[in-house]
Amino acid sequence: MARPAGPEERTTGRAVPPAPPPTGPAAGGPAPGAPAVARAAAVVPPVEPAGIRPGAGDAPAPRPAGPDDDGAAGGGLRGARSELRRQVRERRRLRMGILALVSVVLLGAVPLYFGMRTLSRDPVFDTLDALDVPSWAATKTVDNVSGSRWCLQDCRLRERAVESEQGWKQTVAVYEAALAKDGWRRWKVDRCPEEKVEGSYTCWRQDELTLDLWVRDPACTPPPVDGEPAPSAPPAAAAGKCTGSLVSVKVRNAIDDERTGPTPTTDPSLTGEDPYPTLTDDPLGEPTPSPS
């Protein structure tokens, strides 16, 4: 509601600014010299008491998606794809590492196995095992080896003793057929054998090896007992058990077999005369004749 115009406004026609509000104790204002803080405190709105406001515990309403939200979703998808590619690369590297390890183990284990097998067992015995002989011709086998495989001091000598259930004639036939089938060829050479023996003694040769095959009747004479000499004839009880035959196989390197080289001769025309005089048993010799 507008206030009535004063006398000055009526006379002059101009608006006169309102008079300042009265101050002092009579008007209820602050006393002169009161601090300015009181005036500031008077305009501060009252604070509501502490407590839970209505609707304060409710979850905030979802904010509508905007351009920034699309960028965040795209960045999360790219991060998931990058993590998936990293896992795929790690698995691929792990598979390649396992494959390389298995390859190294196989390439190292196989030669090591065959190397240890070669060092532990002579391959010549494997060749003898592969001979195509019937089971009755090899009922019991005993192997023996001596010398060095690389002929450092003595070349290697392989010896095998085999028991057969048949006589020596049937046994030697199957062994000679098996040797010929395996590539051995008959070797006719002097001193095969060194001296005449019973049964069948033949010599064979294949590449750098020589083989002596001796098949004979078993020794039926029992060994001596308590130092007594062995009887000349076996007892009647043991005669029935003395059947079958014995097979001896001897394999040597051809370079170590003296029968492969030239046979030494004792022809005196190749040795000449002895330049040294023949010494007598008399240490003083014959007396020197004195001059006459």
Side-chain angles (χ1 to χ4, degrees):
M1 180 177 182
R3 68 180 179 82
E8 290 139 352
E9 293 176 357
R10 289 194 295 267
T11 58
T12 62
R14 291 180 297 179
V16 180
T23 59
V37 179
R39 292 194 299 268
V43 298
V44 175
V47 180
E48 295 182 2
I52 300 176
R53 298 177 182 176
D58 299 339
R63 183 171 57 87
D68 296 340
D69 296 334
D70 295 339
L77 183 59
R78 286 194 297 271
R81 291 178 179 176
S82 178
E83 179 67 18
L84 181 60
R85 286 195 296 269
R86 185 184 64 83
Q87 293 179 2
V88 171
R89 286 195 299 268
E90 289 181 355
R91 293 177 183 175
R92 185 178 300 145
R93 285 196 295 266
L94 180 60
R95 288 196 297 266
M96 292 299 295
I98 295 176
L99 181 60
L101 180 61
V102 172
S103 302
V104 170
V105 170
L106 292 179
L107 292 177
V110 173
L112 181 62
Y113 168 75
F114 285 104
M116 295 298 295
R117 181 181 177 183
T118 302
L119 293 176
S120 60
R121 180 172 175 81
D122 197 301
V124 174
F125 290 118
D126 296 334
T127 303
L128 297 179
D129 292 337
L131 291 177
D132 187 13
V133 295
S135 58
W136 57 261
T139 57
K140 185 178 180 181
T141 303
V142 178
D143 293 333
N144 187 26
V145 62
S146 60
S148 172
R149 183 178 303 176
W150 295 276
C151 295
L152 297 179
Q153 292 182 351
D154 296 326
C155 290
R156 175 156 290 189
L157 173 63
R158 302 95 170 169
E159 295 178 294
R160 167 169 288 191
V162 184
E163 293 183 3
S164 174
E165 296 177 352
Q166 300 293 334
W168 69 268
K169 293 183 179 180
Q170 295 84 354
T171 303
V172 71
V174 296
Y175 269 93
E176 289 183 354
L179 289 174
K181 183 179 179 180
D182 195 50
W184 294 85
R185 63 181 184 274
R186 195 73 172 266
W187 186 32
K188 296 181 180 180
V189 63
D190 295 339
R191 293 181 296 169
C192 179
E194 296 284 349
E195 57 185 16
K196 186 174 180 59
V197 294
E198 298 179 356
S200 172
Y201 197 107
T202 55
C203 298
W204 303 75
R205 186 166 181 176
Q206 184 185 47
D207 298 332
E208 74 280 1
L209 299 176
T210 63
L211 184 147
D212 290 19
L213 176 65
W214 181 23
V215 186
R216 63 202 182 276
D217 289 330
C220 299
T221 303
V225 180
D226 297 334
E228 297 180 359
S232 57
K241 299 181 181 179
C242 187
T243 58
S245 58
L246 296 179
V247 181
S248 295
V249 180
K250 183 185 299 184
V251 182
R252 289 180 287 184
N253 293 61
I255 60 174
D256 191 50
D257 195 335
E258 64 276 1
R259 295 171 298 183
T260 59
T263 304
T265 179
T266 57
D267 188 357
S269 62
L270 301 177
T271 58
E273 297 180 358
D274 189 359
Y276 299 99
T278 302
L279 300 179
T280 62
D281 295 335
D282 187 359
L284 299 179
E286 298 179 358
T288 303
S290 59
S292 57

